[in-house]
Amino acid sequence: MSETSKAQFDAIVIGAGFAGMYQLHLLRDKLGLKVRVLEQGSGVGGTWYWNRYPGARCDTESHAYCYTFSESLYCSWDWSERYPEQPEIMRYLNFVADQLDLKKDIQFDTRVSGASWDEDVRCWRIMTENHGEYTARFLITAVGCLSAANIPNFKGLDSFKGQWIHTGSWPQDGVDFSGKRVGLIGTGSTGVQATPVIAKQADHLTVFQRTPNYSVPARNAPLTEDFKRSVHKNFEEIARNMKATTNGHPWGVENRRAVETSADEQERLLEAAWQVGGMQFRAVFNDIMVDEAANKVMADFVTRKIRETVKDPTTAEKLTAFDHHYSTKRPIIDSHYFETYNRENVSLVDVKEAPIEEITPRGLRTSDGTEYDLDIIVFATGYDGVTGPLTRLNLIGRDGLSLGDVWQEGPKTYLGLQVEGFPNLFTITGPQSPSVLTNMPVAIEQHAEWIANAITHIDQIGASCMEPTSTAVNEWETQVQKAAQATLLITAKSSWYLGANVPGKPRVFLPYAGGMARYRDICEDVVEQNYKGFKVA
Ligand code: NA7
């Protein structure tokens, strides 16, 4: 094969995490296409490959944070803990890649620098930084929703004499915190996970908090042999439930309204759910995301628990000065986060009151003039979520239009799967799909299967291109905004779901909030109506 023909593929997939691996399997092994996955990292794992920070762990229970397309694959893996830690997820994904013989078609250490649609030959030209150019009829992004780091543009960062790290690109060899004065900026899921672990190693840890977050105990624990056997035995039921629920988890929300429950009963139910811990805590009542009075029941309960846990009243006050309703920002579960503030070597600084003004050679200074001497600064400052990983790919569609330009005022897609003017581009868990509001592997499997079926359809009818119509895109945007407006999610003005964490990003609700089960039905209905809303030419 010549160098040129080697670089021609039916499909190029960008990213070798959960999404890219399954898409490769479907397109190569089920459809018989010539596929290549381009992956920036040196191994599979996607977001998990980079997120190696201390305490990195999934918030979905392990028996639901995995593929369910194959019972034999599901039953040939045993998880060790209730929530899988990053190294265990990496072992799982490597196991899957080996079982399905995926690695031979993944090109590692390959960063995509751009891609453009060539209308004359109806294919995508994909450029890489270090491995030349590829062409493919189909381009599928499997780049994750939280892979483009948000590093605030603090004045003086270059002058810092110590070490600074963003949690999403953690050094492979780890970071030694022993004897160090550590500053951690950010108290989202990442900061909340990292704080207790770093606190145990560091000489002193200062947490810089802009917005406090509600969090519920994860109650992580090793899994018993009985539990491991039972999930294998009940595979079908677990997989069926995950497909049927709004959130893609194997548990549903109770059919019970907080506002119709007596105060004593509310307390009893919440206390029991608090003891069980985890994301299910939200499932005690079905009105907390739509009714402010119901939501307040949860918010008050969690606030009281935090105040009971944190001994210093000033710190407790700062940790509970919430600016949003319970669970309207990404819900968090933790392992001894609030207890950590009772340690002598941990302090909390409110940077809403006095924002970080400058990073200095010795640490950082806040606007009230206080200087903090630090050896290491950890940026747990999150991501340019959902749209960032796509706009940073430099995708150019028909007529030289860039995705960044088309999405200047917020993402415009059809079903979060395709963008008008970008034929044959498919975006797994793209904006305006349920993605981050659901258990990701469930959303990923549904998208990858839908895309494989769409490609089969295109080939079966002898077409060459597929893209959405403007009408379908506009109607979907209305549905996405309506779904968000029907919930309290839209009220959390500091949420990254709305792009609020990235300066200059348009404030538009990014995921589809109508629920995974309903979304799946919509996608199936579109297919039944002969790919309604898509132009297949
Ligand atoms: P998040 O949830 O976006 O959290 C980032 C945190 O960093 C959050 O507390 C931010 O405060 C804070 N932040 C961001 N910029 C600044 C500046 N300039 N100054 C001070 N503090 C800042 O990201 P995570 O990595 O924790 O979690 C991402 C997802 O990964 C998570 O939702 C799960 O899906 C897994 P803010 O709230 O914006 O005021």
Side-chain angles (χ1 to χ4, degrees):
M1 249 195 286
S2 71
E3 278 306 309
T4 324
S5 69
K6 264 196 229 164
Q8 285 177 350
F9 291 88
D10 295 314
I12 289 284
V13 178
I14 308 175
F18 266 97
M21 284 171 52
Y22 185 42
Q23 193 70 78
L24 168 61
H25 171 58
L26 286 175
L27 298 185
R28 185 193 69 182
D29 303 335
K30 306 283 177 198
L31 269 57
L33 300 184
K34 188 178 171 200
V35 189
R36 177 61 54 92
V37 179
L38 304 178
E39 165 57 53
Q40 185 180 340
S42 305
V44 297
T47 304
W48 291 106
Y49 177 88
W50 302 101
N51 274 270
R52 293 161 187 262
Y53 61 86
R57 192 184 286 282
C58 185
D59 289 345
T60 296
E61 292 188 39
S62 52
H63 68 285
Y65 197 70
C66 45
Y67 296 107
T68 54
F69 66 85
S70 156
E71 182 169 359
S72 65
L73 186 66
Y74 185 90
C75 294
S76 49
W77 179 262
D78 274 329
W79 293 102
S80 67
E81 291 179 276
R82 181 173 174 186
Y83 305 95
E85 213 180 355
Q86 183 269 349
E88 190 166 21
I89 298 171
M90 288 294 288
R91 284 198 297 279
Y92 169 72
L93 287 173
N94 275 284
F95 162 79
V96 174
D98 293 339
Q99 289 286 306
L100 302 176
D101 199 13
L102 298 178
K103 288 180 185 166
K104 66 180 185 204
D105 291 306
I106 303 173
Q107 186 157 316
F108 295 108
D109 301 307
T110 304
R111 192 185 158 84
V112 171
S113 53
S116 56
W117 172 252
D118 186 333
E119 182 75 8
D120 292 339
V121 282
R122 298 193 161 207
C123 74
W124 280 93
R125 295 191 182 283
I126 299 105
M127 280 76 73
T128 66
E129 271 178 7
N130 43 354
H131 286 98
E133 193 179 301
Y134 295 76
T135 59
R137 290 172 59 211
F138 300 103
L139 176 61
I140 299 152
T141 60
V143 289
C145 296
L146 298 159
S147 52
N150 170 43
I151 301 171
N153 190 16
F154 290 126
K155 189 173 138 198
L157 184 56
D158 288 347
S159 72
F160 184 52
K161 296 272 186 266
Q163 182 184 10
W164 70 267
I165 324 123
H166 186 277
T167 51
S169 46
W170 204 256
Q172 302 283 321
D173 301 335
V175 177
D176 184 6
F177 292 105
S178 46
K180 298 287 196 311
R181 296 160 304 176
V182 181
L184 181 144
I185 306 172
T187 52
S189 304
T190 303
V192 166
Q193 284 187 338
T195 292
V197 186
I198 297 176
K200 280 190 194 148
Q201 298 167 19
D203 180 47
H204 190 89
L205 172 66
T206 309
V207 179
F208 297 90
Q209 169 192 275
R210 188 163 68 180
T211 315
N213 275 307
Y214 301 90
S215 179
V216 171
R219 310 231 186 263
N220 185 42
L223 294 175
T224 63
E225 291 307 314
D226 271 359
F227 184 85
K228 292 180 199 171
R229 266 193 300 277
S230 87
V231 294
H232 289 166
K233 193 163 150 254
N234 297 313
F235 164 78
E236 274 182 27
E237 190 189 339
I238 293 168
R240 196 172 47 244
N241 287 345
M242 282 161 67
K243 286 201 171 92
T245 54
T246 304
N247 50 37
H249 289 280
W251 42 268
V253 176
E254 296 292 336
N255 188 18
R256 181 196 297 127
R257 287 162 62 83
V259 292
E260 289 171 357
T261 306
S262 71
D264 282 355
E265 186 63 355
Q266 284 172 353
E267 182 68 18
R268 192 187 67 76
L269 292 165
L270 289 175
E271 183 59 38
W274 185 265
Q275 294 311 324
V276 173
M279 291 287 189
Q280 294 98 309
F281 181 73
R282 288 178 301 158
V284 172
F285 301 114
N286 64 6
D287 50 354
I288 66 157
M289 297 308 289
V290 291
D291 184 328
E292 287 190 10
N295 190 286
K296 189 168 181 311
V297 173
M298 307 289 281
D300 288 351
F301 182 89
V302 178
T303 303
R304 186 153 39 86
K305 286 289 185 188
I306 298 169
R307 290 194 177 148
E308 280 168 17
T309 306
V310 179
K311 291 189 183 133
D312 173 43
T314 313
T315 305
E317 189 58 37
K318 286 180 193 163
L319 287 166
T320 51
F322 302 116
D323 73 342
H324 57 286
H325 295 300
Y326 173 72
S327 203
T328 53
K329 288 176 82 168
R330 165 64 156 76
I332 300 179
I333 61 175
D334 71 273
S335 295
H336 313 297
Y337 173 66
F338 295 109
E339 291 87 332
T340 299
Y341 289 100
N342 296 332
R343 294 176 65 105
E344 295 274 301
N345 70 333
V346 177
S347 45
L348 180 71
V349 174
D350 179 353
V351 290
K352 187 161 266 171
E353 214 171 73
I356 297 168
E357 201 166 69
E358 189 177 3
I359 308 285
T360 64
R362 291 170 45 185
L364 65 80
R365 186 172 54 244
T366 49
S367 65
D368 58 1
T370 314
E371 303 227 11
Y372 297 88
D373 285 349
L374 303 166
D375 302 307
I376 301 176
I377 303 178
V378 176
F379 284 79
T381 45
Y383 299 89
D384 180 354
V386 190
T387 48
L390 294 167
T391 51
R392 292 182 192 194
L393 276 177
N394 298 320
L395 301 178
I396 309 288
R398 192 184 288 117
D399 305 326
L401 276 181
S402 85
L403 190 68
D405 286 343
V406 175
W407 286 2
Q408 217 165 25
E409 285 167 18
K412 291 187 196 321
T413 76
Y414 184 32
L415 302 170
L417 277 161
Q418 276 216 299
V419 184
E420 191 192 3
F422 294 74
N424 291 0
L425 168 72
F426 293 95
T427 51
I428 304 180
T429 63
Q432 303 186 325
S433 76
S435 66
V436 292
L437 296 181
T438 190
N439 178 18
M440 287 305 274
V442 175
I444 284 167
E445 284 190 350
Q446 185 262 344
H447 262 193
E449 287 163 12
W450 195 97
I451 292 165
N453 290 338
I455 290 176
T456 305
H457 171 72
I458 294 168
D459 285 347
Q460 270 172 356
I461 66 167
S464 59
C465 291
M466 180 172 189
E467 71 176 292
T469 65
S470 327
T471 313
V473 169
N474 292 336
E475 284 177 5
W476 184 242
E477 187 171 19
T478 307
Q479 283 209 50
V480 170
Q481 296 314 322
K482 254 193 194 163
Q485 296 288 351
T487 71
L488 294 174
L489 286 166
I490 204 78
T491 64
K493 299 298 177 210
S494 62
S495 171
W496 60 259
Y497 291 162
L498 270 168
N501 61 327
V502 177
K505 191 166 172 169
R507 297 285 194 277
V508 179
F509 198 77
L510 297 168
Y512 172 67
M516 190 61 214
R518 187 156 136 211
Y519 174 80
R520 186 188 296 276
D521 288 346
I522 295 170
C523 291
E524 284 173 9
D525 191 50
V526 163
V527 174
E528 270 167 33
Q529 295 192 53
N530 200 22
Y531 288 87
K532 184 169 180 255
F534 289 98
K535 292 177 271 184
V536 189

